[in-house]
Amino acid sequence: MVPNIEVGNVFAKALQYMAGFSMAGVLLGARIPVVLVSRADGEAEKTVSIALACSVAAMSQQKTAAEASA
């Protein structure tokens, strides 16, 4: 956890550029997951973000179906 979005952004960029981490960006809480990518992100980061959003959406659909049948 970070104290604010600016610190989080600096921390994430440091992990990417100095430690070689890959990032995936997905906004949760909307009706559907929203993919968040940066202009500087490469193909791998964009692909992982899309895959993560698809996974979150599939899990949400399973949860909704289970609640409807209960």
Side-chain angles (χ1 to χ4, degrees):
M1 297 306 244
V2 293
N4 57 45
I5 195 165
E6 291 83 10
V7 172
N9 188 41
V10 170
F11 182 66
K13 296 297 181 190
L15 288 174
Q16 279 183 293
Y17 295 114
M18 294 182 178
F21 279 42
S22 292
M23 298 290 180
V26 176
L27 175 66
L28 302 175
R31 189 172 55 84
I32 58 173
V34 178
V35 176
L36 295 174
V37 294
S38 170
R39 292 184 306 252
D41 286 345
E43 183 178 343
E45 287 85 2
K46 291 176 183 177
T47 303
V48 170
S49 294
I50 293 168
L52 179 60
C54 290
S55 178
V56 168
M59 288 174 49
S60 177
Q61 286 178 346
Q62 289 175 350
K63 181 181 175 187
T64 303
E67 289 173 351
S69 66

